[in-house]
Amino acid sequence: MTEQHNHQRKPERIALAMQGGGAVGAFQAGVLEALHEANVELDACCGASIGAINAAIFFGNPHSCRVDRLKEFYCRVSVPGTTLRDQMPAFSAAGTAGQDDFRRTLAETDQSYAMSAGLPGFFTRRLAVPWTNGTGAPELASIMDVRPLYHTLESLCDFDELNRSTTDVSVVATNVATGRPTCFDNRDGLLPPPMIVASGSLPPWFAPVEIGGAWYWDGSLSSAAPLHHIVETAPADVQTTILRADLWSPDGQIPDNLSDAEIRQKNIEHGSRAAAYHEALSESQRLRSLLAYALNCIEPARRQSDPQLMNAAALATGRPIRVVPIDYESSQRGSHFKDGQFSPAAIETHWAHGREAAKAALERMHAKD
């Protein structure tokens, strides 16, 4: 198993970081499809929540059927019978304002359906929910039961294939007791279904998952954890290009209704955290360069004899990293789709945006190379 992961070092590593976002994760599936078609071989991939599910299914299958398995997953978990309703405004004489109102209403209806009845192949509503009284059983402390997701993952993901993949696949979950992110990866040859489910267990909808005596919630509760993990594990002796597939945009239009306000609030909350980490990373790289410049102005003999300067030299040795955004910049602005709206039309729209964003990012990469 170790030999699978110690493949020959390439002049450049390419990694993919995928944050969570519910149904909007179909955007990442479109990204993966575009990378697959462009024959981009990923050396590492880290995902949280729906990003972890996408990564497990994609890398848990042979190269020839990865995209088909992703499509089957989104087909299984989508709410049936909504495509026609999504297309109804196009057949009506209503204006743009009427179509917007219809889509807002549809988004609320679809999301309410998912949260009240569940989604096929994903989760079902619990008959008894411990709202206030403790049960002593953390695995029951949720509104939904995710046992259907276990069955879906086991039928669509070959976990032996996932764990012997030459791509370092990691998923992030949040330790409920400490509040800190934890990464599980296939480099140890052990990335089972509970770790994938734990990464997507967003409270209070989904219960924590017990792994090794600890309990874990959704990895997206930890700020920019997938990107952070790839940065921290990047080697110092080779260029690492990180493709960042975030699903939320901190920029957007001012909402004039509660439905759009909720969408805007989630974009600000999640998008600003990712942006803050990216800014901190850029500042860290700038300071390392300044430190390296300052050290070069000191005589080598003193640098090599002074313990403090030796420590400074170690800090100045940064990892060669560049981050290429493949972000969902138009996320939900015009369509009013919500992260809990698993309709076929919503999934198709997100998927198409992901394909186009990935193609544009690859063109930018090639133009700079």
Side-chain angles (χ1 to χ4, degrees):
M1 194 68 64
T2 303
E3 293 178 357
Q4 291 285 344
H5 292 278
N6 290 335
H7 46 281
Q8 185 176 2
R9 185 64 59 85
K10 299 191 300 185
E12 179 185 24
R13 294 176 75 253
I14 300 179
L16 175 64
M18 299 191 293
Q19 188 59 282
V24 193
F27 173 90
Q28 295 170 345
V31 169
L32 286 167
E33 182 180 34
L35 297 178
H36 180 81
E37 291 176 349
N39 294 317
V40 175
E41 292 294 334
L42 294 170
D43 298 281
C45 179
C46 185
S49 198
I50 193 68
I53 294 174
N54 286 331
I57 294 174
F58 187 78
F59 293 103
N61 280 284
H63 195 272
S64 60
C65 61
R66 289 174 169 177
V67 174
D68 289 339
R69 291 292 183 270
L70 275 177
K71 289 180 178 178
E72 187 174 349
F73 169 74
Y74 282 97
C75 181
R76 287 194 188 187
V77 302
S78 64
V79 181
T82 57
T83 302
L84 180 60
R85 290 190 291 130
D86 274 341
Q87 295 175 343
M88 282 178 63
F91 298 106
S92 69
T96 303
Q99 293 184 28
D100 285 348
D101 290 343
F102 182 88
R103 286 192 175 277
R104 290 188 187 100
T105 302
L106 182 62
E108 295 301 325
T109 301
D110 283 343
Q111 182 146 298
S112 296
Y113 174 86
M115 295 301 101
S116 61
L119 292 171
F122 206 151
F123 53 84
T124 57
R125 181 89 180 197
R126 291 190 187 277
L127 296 178
V129 178
W131 291 105
T132 56
N133 297 327
T135 64
E139 69 273 15
L140 300 179
S142 66
I143 299 172
M144 301 295 178
D145 185 338
V146 294
R147 280 180 292 182
L149 178 58
Y150 280 97
H151 297 307
T152 299
L153 286 174
E154 288 168 357
S155 65
L156 294 180
C157 176
D158 182 341
F159 282 86
D160 289 334
E161 180 79 23
L162 175 63
N163 284 303
R164 64 172 173 259
S165 173
T166 55
T167 300
D168 293 332
V169 181
S170 305
V171 301
V172 183
T174 302
N175 187 302
V176 179
T178 66
R180 298 182 63 83
T182 298
C183 286
F184 304 105
D185 60 63
N186 66 344
R187 283 175 291 183
D188 298 325
L190 184 63
L191 192 60
M195 292 180 179
I196 310 302
V197 175
S199 183
S201 294
L202 182 68
W205 304 104
F206 309 131
V209 177
E210 184 180 17
I211 300 172
W215 294 89
Y216 295 93
W217 267 335
D218 195 296
S220 291
L221 296 175
S222 305
S223 297
L227 178 60
H228 176 77
H229 177 71
I230 292 177
V231 169
E232 291 301 307
T233 57
D237 59 345
V238 63
Q239 170 81 37
T240 297
T241 295
I242 304 175
L243 306 175
R244 185 191 67 194
D246 278 354
L247 304 175
W248 309 95
S249 174
D251 300 322
Q253 299 173 350
I254 300 174
D256 59 0
N257 60 84
L258 293 182
S259 179
D260 287 355
E262 181 191 4
I263 295 173
R264 184 87 282 273
Q265 177 263 328
K266 288 184 177 180
N267 272 276
I268 292 173
E269 178 183 0
H270 296 286
S272 61
R273 287 192 292 172
Y277 178 80
H278 195 180
E279 291 171 4
L281 175 62
S282 299
E283 179 65 6
S284 174
Q285 291 176 320
R286 187 183 73 85
L287 292 175
R288 287 177 188 273
S289 296
L290 288 175
L291 180 58
Y293 175 81
L295 289 171
N296 284 333
C297 297
I298 301 174
E299 298 85 353
R302 184 181 177 188
R303 292 201 312 265
Q304 297 167 7
S305 61
D306 188 319
Q308 291 290 73
L309 292 179
M310 293 171 64
N311 289 335
L315 290 174
T317 306
R319 301 178 179 91
I321 292 172
R322 65 168 174 170
V323 178
V324 178
I326 313 181
D327 299 340
Y328 203 163
E329 296 179 355
S330 61
S331 175
Q332 307 158 317
R333 291 181 187 177
S335 63
H336 309 293
F337 289 136
K338 309 186 81 170
D339 54 324
Q341 189 179 4
F342 282 82
S343 69
I347 290 170
E348 181 180 352
T349 299
H350 299 321
W351 194 300
H353 278 298
R355 281 178 53 88
E356 294 307 312
K359 290 179 180 179
L362 290 176
E363 290 178 1
R364 293 195 304 270
M365 283 177 58
H366 294 152
K368 291 181 180 180
D369 289 341

